[in-house]
Amino acid sequence: MTDDDLKAELESVNSKHQGRRTTREDIAYLTDLLKCANKKLIWEKQLASVQKRTPVILETVSRLMNDPQIPADEQLRTEMLRSLQAIQATMERLQSVKSD
């Protein structure tokens, strides 16, 4: 699930429950809103977990790539560098989504 998915689901809930007239309809709307909020909370916890683990993983990969006991060939180094840059870019995008 992405932030866009959560926003779309919230828009769907708001659209579905337009024109509420009864207490029962209000309760259904609030129940659906609570479900969206729970999904968002789970998503935020997963995001925080990934952000917390990523620096440790990147450090470990970097240490392994620079280990003189296990020299990596140039092709592997290039691929790993590309992968690490992609991970860094993804983490930056996640951080910008989180701060929106």
Side-chain angles (χ1 to χ4, degrees), residues 6-43:
L6 291 169
K7 287 177 184 176
E9 187 170 338
L10 181 59
E11 288 173 10
S12 173
V13 166
N14 285 326
S15 175
K16 175 182 170 185
H17 293 283
Q18 284 182 356
R20 297 178 312 276
R21 293 190 178 97
T22 67
T23 302
R24 190 173 305 275
E25 289 172 338
D26 286 341
I27 291 171
Y29 172 64
L30 293 172
T31 300
D32 286 349
L33 280 179
L34 184 57
K35 287 177 186 175
C36 286
N38 279 326
K39 287 179 183 180
K40 184 174 181 185
L41 180 62
I42 291 167
W43 182 78

Side-chain angles (χ1 to χ4, degrees), residues 48-94:
S49 176
V50 167
Q51 288 176 320
K52 186 187 295 184
R53 291 185 319 230
T54 299
V56 174
I57 293 169
L58 292 176
E59 153 111 26
T60 302
V61 169
S62 179
R63 191 170 15 87
L64 289 172
M65 291 304 298
N66 293 316
D67 187 345
Q69 301 289 345
I70 316 168
D73 67 2
E74 204 53 42
Q75 180 182 355
L76 178 60
R77 284 183 179 279
T78 302
E79 290 174 15
M80 288 304 296
L81 177 60
R82 216 174 299 130
S83 296
L84 293 173
Q85 289 170 338
I87 291 168
Q88 182 179 12
T90 300
M91 293 310 297
E92 288 171 3
R93 281 194 311 273
L94 286 173

